[in-house]
Amino acid sequence: MEINKYIDHTLLKPTASFDQIDKICEEAKKYEFASVCINPCFVKYAAEQLKGSSVKVCTVIGFPLGNTTTQAKVDEAKQALKDGADEFDMVLNQSWIKSNKIEDAQADIAAVRKAIGDKLLKVILETCNLTDEEIAKASQISEKAKADYVKTSTGFGSEGATPEAVKIMKANISDQVKIKASGGIRDLETAEMYINLGVSRLGASSGVQIMQGKTSTQNY
């Protein structure tokens, strides 16, 4: 099991600096992580730093609340695409899910899907804010809107990934859609547990510690 290939090496803190972006890009190249996951303002810079490497540039859309307008998400995604983003982790409009505006929530995802073409799209459900039934619905509409992944968490909610949420997500998508677990994954044991549950990607700010077999104490 090549754990490194599962990891989106993540830095989404509001105080992140260019020096820190340099650091995670270098770490990502060293450990050959799947991607670096960064805020949109850093995409162009990170794409330059990672040029020639296997590491993808992943960014976030509508982050961290998901309640910006669809047009704002589309514009943000288009700019990030222009700047060199390879993968897009967009936040679900949870208010629309809570209000049973399921078609609107699906259209929101579909609009970003259309904006980024064939680039990888992951939909962040923020499962800590949703009931089991809402997690199931959100997973289903993400697939209908042609998302490539459903993702548990932003890392900024009250709780990150849980095995229970991952199981509900898995039960409500086909084999065509993958799962990304994120939030609270700070050691190798937890990473392996999620992979064994069928997760294909891990969002972690503790990628280096995971690779070194250590337990990270950092958190957002």
Side-chain angles (χ1 to χ4, degrees), residues 105-166:
Q106 183 176 324
D108 191 57
I109 300 166
V112 175
R113 165 83 281 165
K114 183 179 178 182
I116 65 171
D118 61 358
K119 298 293 187 183
L120 210 64
L121 177 62
K122 312 182 200 113
V123 179
I124 308 173
L125 308 187
E126 199 70 295
T127 53
C128 63
N129 292 339
L130 303 178
T131 65
D132 290 357
E133 183 182 356
E134 288 164 349
I135 293 170
K137 277 185 184 176
S139 299
Q140 291 162 10
I141 65 164
S142 294
E143 176 158 12
K144 287 177 182 175
K146 309 295 185 189
D148 299 292
Y149 278 76
V150 283
K151 176 180 169 181
T152 59
S153 321
T154 61
F156 287 82
S158 59
E159 189 177 22
T162 66
E164 293 75 22
V166 167

Side-chain angles (χ1 to χ4, degrees), residues 21-213:
I21 297 297
D22 278 334
K23 185 170 185 283
I24 71 158
C25 286
E26 287 307 311
E27 290 169 346
K29 286 190 281 189
K30 177 181 178 181
Y31 289 99
E32 297 184 323
F33 290 135
S35 80
V36 295
C37 187
I38 52 176
N39 280 302
C41 66
F42 294 115
V43 166
K44 192 171 186 179
Y45 182 77
E48 291 169 358
Q49 305 311 304
L50 294 169
K51 192 179 292 183
S53 77
S54 64
V55 182
K56 303 295 186 185
V57 178
C58 174
T59 196
V60 289
I61 302 297
F63 195 84
L65 301 179
N67 291 352
T68 49
T69 64
T70 297
Q71 189 60 52
K73 288 179 179 176
V74 166
D75 289 345
E76 189 174 33
K78 284 181 176 177
Q79 184 62 52
L81 181 66
K82 184 179 175 182
D83 287 344
D86 302 297
E87 303 184 1
F88 298 77
D89 289 17
M90 71 170 287
V91 188
L92 175 78
N93 190 316
Q94 301 149 68
S95 292
W96 283 343
I97 295 291
K98 291 287 182 185
S99 303
N100 205 33
K101 290 184 175 292
I102 305 302
E103 289 182 3
D104 290 335
Q106 183 176 324
D108 191 57
I109 300 166
V112 175
R113 165 83 281 165
K114 183 179 178 182
I116 65 171
D118 61 358
K119 298 293 187 183
L120 210 64
L121 177 62
K122 312 182 200 113
V123 179
I124 308 173
L125 308 187
E126 199 70 295
T127 53
C128 63
N129 292 339
L130 303 178
T131 65
D132 290 357
E133 183 182 356
E134 288 164 349
I135 293 170
K137 277 185 184 176
S139 299
Q140 291 162 10
I141 65 164
S142 294
E143 176 158 12
K144 287 177 182 175
K146 309 295 185 189
D148 299 292
Y149 278 76
V150 283
K151 176 180 169 181
T152 59
S153 321
T154 61
F156 287 82
S158 59
E159 189 177 22
T162 66
E164 293 75 22
V166 167
K167 288 173 185 175
I168 296 167
M169 292 158 72
K170 189 175 177 62
N172 284 279
I173 53 174
S174 75
D175 292 341
Q176 302 302 308
V177 181
K178 298 177 181 179
I179 298 172
K180 176 176 173 179
S182 60
I185 301 169
R186 301 190 184 96
D187 57 62
L188 181 60
E189 184 180 6
T190 306
E192 289 178 335
M193 181 267 289
Y194 280 112
I195 292 169
N196 289 332
L197 281 177
V199 163
S200 299
R201 203 69 81 83
L202 302 167
S205 57
S206 308
V208 172
Q209 290 87 348
I210 290 169
M211 294 303 296
Q212 293 174 345

